[in-house]
Amino acid sequence: MNDLYQAAKRCLDATDPAEKVRLTRAAWNALLAGELQPDPASPAPEPIGAPGRPERPLLVHASKVPSRGLGSSEGRAALVHAVAHIEFNAINLAWDAVYRFRGKPGAYYRDWASCAHDEARHFDMLSERLAELGHAYGDFDAHNGLWEMAEKTAHHDTARMALVPRVLEARGLDVTPGIIERLRGAGDERTIAILEVILREEVAHVAAGTRWFRHCCERDGLEPRQAFLDLLRGYMGRTPRGPFNRQARLEAGFDAEEMDRLAELALLD
């Protein structure tokens, strides 16, 4: 029986995107076949550092990533690249959740390996679309915000479950419908079809974060709504920006009281 933790590390360490996708698919299929299991005797996780990634894209501060209009092919390529970069990071985030946090129920590892597999498929779809637009992953600058939060929460599973899926990834639920409408105005049905798949499947990924965040809170005797707000303030100093896709977030496990409170706090900030 092969060790799931080490399989996750191989996926994390792969620098070539195509190899990372290939290893992710292989690991997921092996997990489904019962050939991978978390091994309690596996070496302890190494301190978190940069995951395997190619030399490009160049990583810059978020404020330095230029915004482009969607009326041109170049502008749409830049948008597709930005989403591809998010999905590439999300592969690493899911595998780090498997690799780093030990002694979890089997369902936890299955959830995050499944997320990694979905994100790899999303990355492939976006890479294909980039090629159709005359570009490749790495052609545009990108930022490292998602992974920076992974580094901040590497020591704390509750914070990781709260702040990566339920804040950073949930932001995609909020903004993607508006992007789809803008692309519809530009007549880009091919990109819209991809984003609609991603939006639908990201609901399940945020729901996994909600499920395991609440599991951690129950373990530690914390009230989840208050714990979430405390973690937002402690790690981010603020609440997420609105407006929120309330329906999608409710489907992803946020409750109505939680959404009302987030909306109130967003107005105050």
Side-chain angles (χ1 to χ4, degrees):
M1 193 71 66
N2 290 320
D3 179 14
L4 176 62
Y5 299 131
Q6 291 307 304
K9 190 174 190 305
R10 286 192 292 273
C11 295
L12 268 172
D13 289 347
T15 58
D16 178 67
E19 178 67 0
K20 193 180 293 284
V21 168
R22 186 192 71 77
L23 287 170
T24 294
R25 287 176 175 157
W28 172 241
N29 289 332
L31 183 64
L32 286 181
E35 297 165 2
L36 277 179
Q37 294 289 339
D39 184 353
S42 185
E46 296 177 5
I48 196 166
R53 56 167 67 115
E55 291 184 4
R56 297 175 60 85
L58 179 66
L59 297 181
V60 300
H61 191 273
S63 64
K64 302 294 184 183
V65 179
S67 58
R68 296 175 172 89
L70 301 183
S72 68
S73 174
E74 186 80 359
R76 292 193 295 277
L79 168 71
V80 172
H81 187 277
V83 181
H85 182 65
I86 291 169
E87 300 300 308
F88 183 81
N89 270 283
I91 301 170
N92 289 324
L93 288 164
W95 282 127
D96 191 71
V98 171
Y99 172 69
R100 189 153 308 282
F101 301 115
R102 306 295 172 91
K104 300 289 191 184
Y108 170 92
Y109 296 111
R110 184 183 177 94
D111 273 352
W112 293 116
S114 175
C115 287
H117 183 253
D118 287 347
E119 308 293 14
R121 181 162 41 79
H122 298 167
F123 180 80
D124 258 2
M125 291 190 295
L126 292 159
S127 295
E128 182 179 335
R129 180 61 181 142
L130 266 178
E132 292 169 356
L133 292 166
H135 287 278
Y137 181 59
D139 283 358
F140 299 89
D141 292 348
H143 69 82
N144 200 34
L146 276 170
W147 191 255
E148 288 169 358
M149 183 57 76
E151 292 178 335
K152 290 179 183 177
T153 58
H155 65 293
H156 191 187
D157 56 355
T158 311
R160 173 69 69 84
M161 294 298 106
L163 300 177
V164 172
R166 301 191 88 231
V167 176
L168 301 184
E169 294 189 62
R171 186 69 183 146
L173 305 183
D174 301 331
V175 303
T176 301
I179 294 171
I180 288 172
E181 286 308 307
R182 290 170 61 204
L183 287 168
R184 189 160 281 123
D188 190 344
E189 295 298 326
R190 176 82 173 95
T191 304
I192 288 171
I194 295 169
L195 292 184
E196 286 178 338
V197 170
I198 293 173
L199 176 61
R200 183 169 61 249
E201 295 184 354
E202 290 295 347
V203 170
H205 301 172
V206 178
T210 297
R211 182 160 52 252
W212 295 109
F213 168 65
R214 290 179 179 159
H215 174 87
C216 291
C217 288
E218 182 177 357
R219 176 197 66 197
D220 297 337
L222 300 174
E223 196 287 308
R225 295 187 195 94
Q226 188 58 49
F228 184 55
L229 295 177
D230 290 344
L231 289 165
L232 285 172
R233 295 188 187 103
Y235 282 81
M236 302 182 71
R238 59 173 177 81
T239 51
R241 290 175 298 166
F244 302 110
N245 184 340
R246 185 181 179 94
Q247 183 57 42
R249 283 177 176 257
L250 290 173
E251 291 173 11
F254 286 79
D255 62 38
E257 181 180 334
E258 195 172 23
M259 289 308 308
D260 290 344
R261 183 64 176 146
L262 282 176
E264 290 170 7
L265 292 172
L267 288 174
L268 293 174
D269 284 351

